[in-house]
Amino acid sequence: MAPPVLHSIHLHPVKSLAALTVDEALVEPWGLAGDRRWMLVNGAGTAVTQRQEPRLTGISATPLPGGGVELSAPGREPLAVAVPEHSDTVVVELFGKKSEVVEAAPAAHAWLSGFLGAEVRLVHQDEPSYRRPVDPAYARPGETVSLADGYPLLVTTTASLDALNALIARGDHPWEGPLPMNRFRPNVVVDGTVPWEEDGWRRIVIGAVAFRVVKPCARCVVTTVDQSTSERGKEPLRTLALHRRSGTKLLFGQNLVPESTGTVRVGDAFRVLG
């Protein structure tokens, strides 16, 4: 078997919109540069994701110089959204926890609300260095996260996806497989390991950047959303429930916290330190 390498890198400039595949990315203390620094919220200030609105898969966000994004969707004129110039923050709720963010220009709210047919607002995390601490049960003092679900990065492996797809093929919804990796919305994907090897990782290095592997990733209904059509199915949750359950959690992938910063590139060497 060839040595393990970094197979692919994925950014999500706006949380829960379409993913963007890139050849390289800068690892910052709170995640990949440009990953999940923007998010949609509803009129009550609560995060809107594919859990509530699978049609978000139909919107793309392309990074712009300076941290802005260009929104695009079928049948709509693209809209460039700059990082807000003002510093007035608002409090929003993400998974039951409060966080301060800055609102985008009203044109962004109108564009997104028009696409979804429901009131939403676009917000930006202005200060990732201190706005959202990582769960202290898994973090060191001062470690923070972007607007990702809970941890700076998510790693998956091609071997484990192949193993999962083999299980789906033998299950009661085989027509739903094989599933692509984008169902799991990882940041980094590793090739050249054995299936489920990541369960035993504690520290890893990609290129020259080191990470702590802090906990398995518990999966939700977002994994059942076809990222091309926005349609929901049953898999992979049915199969994960049978083969990858830990208590009430259904597991695929591992959450990471960077121990250093630097650029990772597709093809970089991958090593397990412990």
Side-chain angles (χ1 to χ4, degrees):
M1 180 182 293
V5 296
L6 180 57
H7 177 265
S8 59
I9 304 170
H10 308 275
L11 292 177
H12 311 81
V14 179
K15 183 179 181 66
S16 253
L17 301 194
L20 178 67
T21 300
V22 297
D23 292 330
E24 63 179 52
L26 175 64
V27 179
E28 298 177 324
W30 41 83
L32 297 183
D35 187 66
R36 296 175 171 100
R37 291 286 300 279
W38 297 84
M39 179 176 74
L40 276 64
V41 297
N42 61 20
T46 302
V48 176
T49 73
Q50 290 182 33
R51 294 166 177 82
Q52 303 83 24
E53 184 47 83
R55 289 182 297 163
L56 294 179
T57 64
I59 309 174
S60 297
T62 304
L64 296 174
V69 291
E70 181 178 81
L71 302 174
S72 60
R76 299 186 68 83
E77 287 293 321
L79 178 71
V81 182
V83 170
E85 294 183 357
H86 61 88
S87 58
D88 298 331
T89 61
V90 296
V91 177
V92 298
E93 183 175 309
L94 177 56
F95 300 126
K97 295 184 178 180
K98 305 294 185 180
S99 183
E100 289 186 72
V101 294
V102 181
E103 288 200 22
H109 309 334
W111 193 98
L112 290 159
S113 298
F115 179 85
L116 295 173
E119 180 191 353
V120 293
R121 292 176 288 144
L122 182 65
V123 299
H124 179 256
Q125 186 189 54
D126 59 331
E127 296 289 351
S129 61
Y130 63 84
R131 289 292 188 207
R132 289 188 72 216
V134 177
D135 184 343
Y138 300 96
R140 295 170 181 167
E143 290 181 330
T144 60
V145 60
S146 65
L147 295 171
D149 283 3
Y151 300 91
L153 285 91
L154 172 66
V155 61
T156 59
T157 70
T158 58
S160 293
L161 179 62
D162 290 345
L164 178 61
N165 277 325
L167 293 170
I168 291 172
R170 298 196 294 269
D172 57 6
H173 281 65
W175 57 89
E176 290 194 27
L179 301 182
M181 190 64 85
N182 65 9
R183 290 289 190 97
F184 301 94
R185 301 181 67 80
N187 292 114
V188 288
V189 181
V190 175
D191 189 43
T193 66
V194 299
W196 316 121
E197 177 186 323
E198 60 270 27
D199 291 347
W201 297 344
R202 295 298 174 264
R203 294 182 68 240
I204 63 174
V205 175
I206 300 173
V209 184
F211 303 86
R212 291 198 328 277
V213 184
V214 295
K215 71 185 294 289
C217 184
R219 310 316 306 223
C220 70
V221 70
V222 170
T223 60
T224 69
V225 178
D226 186 316
Q227 296 295 302
S228 298
T229 66
S230 302
E231 295 178 357
R232 279 188 174 146
K234 299 295 185 181
E235 295 291 3
L237 294 185
R238 289 179 72 91
T239 298
L240 291 176
L242 292 173
H243 300 280
R244 295 286 297 169
R245 179 187 289 273
S246 177
T248 62
K249 308 296 185 183
L250 311 181
L251 308 178
F252 189 89
Q254 296 284 337
N255 290 299
L256 305 179
V257 175
E259 290 187 340
S260 59
T261 59
T263 299
V264 294
R265 298 175 177 86
V266 170
D268 275 352
F270 172 84
R271 290 182 294 133
V272 177
L273 299 182

